[in-house]
Amino acid sequence: MTEQTVATIMESEKQSLLCDDGIDNTDTLYTETNTVIHTTCSHNVIINTDESVPMTKVYKRRWYVMVIFCLFAMSQGGSWSIYGPISATTEDAFGWRDSDIALLTAWGPIAYLITTFPFAWLIDTKGIRVASLTATFLTLMGAVARCITTDPAYVTWTSNIGQLLNGLAGPIAYGAPPVLSALWFPANERTTATALNTVLNSVGSALTFTLGPHLVPFRGSCHVNDTTDNISSNVYGSITNNCTNQTRMISERHDISRYMLYDLCFIVIAFLLMLVYYPKKPDLPPTVSASVARNVKFWLICLTFGVSQGVFSSWQGVLDVNLKPHNISQNEAGWLGFYSLIAGCFASLVFAKFSDVYARHMRLFLLFLYICASGCFVWFIFLVEGVIQSSTIMLYTSIIMGTMFLTSTMPLFFEMACEAAYPVPEGITNLVLTLSSNIGGLIFLVIQMIPNIGTNWASWCMLGGIVSCIPVLALLKERYNRLDVDDTEKDS
């Protein structure tokens, strides 16, 4: 296709945005490429009538590109939630309070507000490679900052700087999966690809819930063995074998330092792999759907996603703090967070595949998942509040199933937002969508930082955010503009 033809296509796209709903479709034929552009008031459909000149192609290396992105998303998600599951240990080792842990978690949504629109511009102008490398580098620098020291006089500063830098990368790790899916995957794989890219961010968080308490155990009982004493002596100087507060805190700081180094090594690997090979885009697109007008339906989707997912993700990010008043230990809270997030990841892939097969029923899937999640979290709150008799099995089942249902909605929200906002580029659409969830999460964490407010309200707030979205989803009318374009090409 020549530059003149491309310019004409672009002009046709601009003109279509000025159409009224009542104007008939018009066809434009480009003879030198045998390409017909069907222009409607909602979108342009580009149809190739010369079968010898392919307009779309699906590349096998799309899976490699996705794996590289998944490594980055997993490292960013894990780094964001790295302090929450070890809050008891860090509070003991550094003299922190619950509000300090809330602030470390809050840097994620705070930084998200800063870089959402710069990253949207970067994706649109420089492409996904430059944006992803920039985000991975920020995550890497955040990990470096956290490894600088464990001295209580400075560690609060370095930890907060590290969390801020990691949070700046959030718009790409959290909001770019639909962009990658649209660039590399065909229409019948898009939702599944988005789910795979999205759940790896949750897998990173899930791993911190089990690795954190395992590698950084709470030493409140002050059982320090000889091996630990020797390691601590080499790093921090001579200590005695007697069990004292000083030896306990030194051992805890050593554990934290080692944990942060492990995290840094993983991020270095992800950055180097992305630097070596991570193309901007394929030579030919996988589908004909192009991407430019937002509407009321999109903003309703934004509101629903922001209120429910924003509050829930922040509630889960400080799960140990929220469950501590109910006599649930750091270790048990860690396993609860791990199992629930892993279950949510698997469920996301299952429902995403169903959504690819039944592509025009996303709203019904979302409504079903939200109703199920609400029921599970009502059960969970009644258990921890003592309304009904609790047991370990019931506690695990309620929170795991609730998280599973709610986490499964994320890739469906991403794809439905793209459909509703089409032909707005996927990068802009989903960064705005995820920005709404970070605003909701930030408000939740700021409230939690209020002195003496406690945490008993947090679970009720999380439940309210989920339940309030059910009426909106029940009344929301779906639009599948992007699928219409791809189906038109398929039928031609």
Side-chain angles (χ1 to χ4, degrees), residues 194-235:
T194 297
L196 283 167
N197 282 308
T198 302
V199 300
L200 263 294
N201 189 263
S202 297
V203 167
S205 297
L207 289 174
T208 63
F209 278 100
T210 179
L211 290 177
H214 176 70
L215 294 174
V216 188
F218 177 53
R219 299 177 182 268
S221 59
C222 199
H223 293 305
V224 184
N225 57 36
D226 292 338
T227 303
T228 305
D229 284 343
N230 290 335
I231 294 174
S232 301
S233 299
N234 292 334
V235 178

Side-chain angles (χ1 to χ4, degrees), residues 86 89 207 210-219 251-252 254-256 258-260 262-263:
I86 57 171
T89 306
L207 289 174
T210 179
L211 290 177
H214 176 70
L215 294 174
V216 188
F218 177 53
R219 299 177 182 268
S251 298
E252 288 173 339
H254 171 74
D255 292 339
I256 294 168
R258 182 181 57 181
Y259 183 32
M260 298 302 162
Y262 290 160
D263 181 60

Side-chain angles (χ1 to χ4, degrees), residues 98 147 153 162 199 329 349 450 454 460:
D98 288 349
C147 291
V199 300
S329 67
L349 298 178
I450 297 175
W460 289 103

Side-chain angles (χ1 to χ4, degrees), residues 367-439:
L367 190 59
F368 168 77
L369 291 169
Y370 265 71
I371 291 172
C372 292
S374 298
C376 290
F377 283 118
V378 167
W379 183 22
F380 166 74
I381 291 175
F382 282 1
L383 288 171
V384 296
E385 293 290 344
V387 177
I388 56 178
Q389 188 173 0
S390 179
S391 69
T392 302
I393 294 176
M394 293 171 67
L395 183 68
Y396 271 69
T397 302
S398 61
I399 193 171
I400 288 172
M401 290 184 64
T403 305
M404 179 184 72
F405 287 126
L406 199 65
T407 304
S408 301
T409 66
M410 291 175 58
L412 303 183
F413 265 119
F414 288 153
E415 291 301 313
M416 194 161 78
C418 290
E419 297 291 344
Y422 179 85
V424 176
E426 288 85 355
I428 296 174
T429 298
N430 284 282
L431 289 188
V432 171
L433 180 70
T434 52
L435 174 64
S436 68
S437 72
N438 278 268
I439 293 174

Side-chain angles (χ1 to χ4, degrees), residues 162-327:
Q163 290 302 93
L164 171 61
L165 290 170
N166 178 74
L168 293 174
I172 298 299
Y174 194 36
V179 181
L180 208 67
S181 301
L183 281 174
W184 287 93
F185 289 84
N188 64 338
E189 294 178 355
R190 267 199 307 243
T191 307
T192 303
T194 297
L196 283 167
N197 282 308
T198 302
V199 300
L200 263 294
N201 189 263
S202 297
V203 167
S205 297
L207 289 174
T208 63
F209 278 100
T210 179
L211 290 177
H214 176 70
L215 294 174
V216 188
F218 177 53
R219 299 177 182 268
S221 59
C222 199
H223 293 305
V224 184
N225 57 36
D226 292 338
T227 303
T228 305
D229 284 343
N230 290 335
I231 294 174
S232 301
S233 299
N234 292 334
V235 178
Y236 297 104
S238 177
I239 61 173
T240 65
N241 288 329
N242 295 326
C243 183
T244 65
N245 287 334
Q246 185 64 22
T247 60
R248 184 188 74 240
M249 288 188 289
I250 287 176
S251 298
E252 288 173 339
R253 291 168 194 166
H254 171 74
D255 292 339
I256 294 168
S257 177
R258 182 181 57 181
Y259 183 32
M260 298 302 162
L261 282 172
Y262 290 160
D263 181 60
L264 173 61
C265 291
F266 185 85
I267 298 171
V268 168
I269 294 171
F271 178 72
L272 291 177
L273 287 173
M274 186 175 287
L275 189 64
V276 171
Y277 181 74
Y278 187 80
K280 178 180 178 180
K281 61 180 180 180
D283 296 330
L284 291 172
T287 62
V288 297
S289 49
S291 298
V292 224
R294 231 157 282 153
N295 51 66
V296 175
K297 292 182 179 64
F298 171 75
W299 290 114
L300 285 174
I301 294 170
C302 254
L303 179 64
T304 305
F305 185 82
V307 170
S308 57
Q309 297 289 345
V311 173
F312 175 73
S313 62
S314 293
W315 175 85
Q316 195 170 49
V318 287
L319 187 63
D320 179 36
V321 174
N322 291 324
L323 297 182
K324 187 163 49 178
H326 303 290
N327 297 318

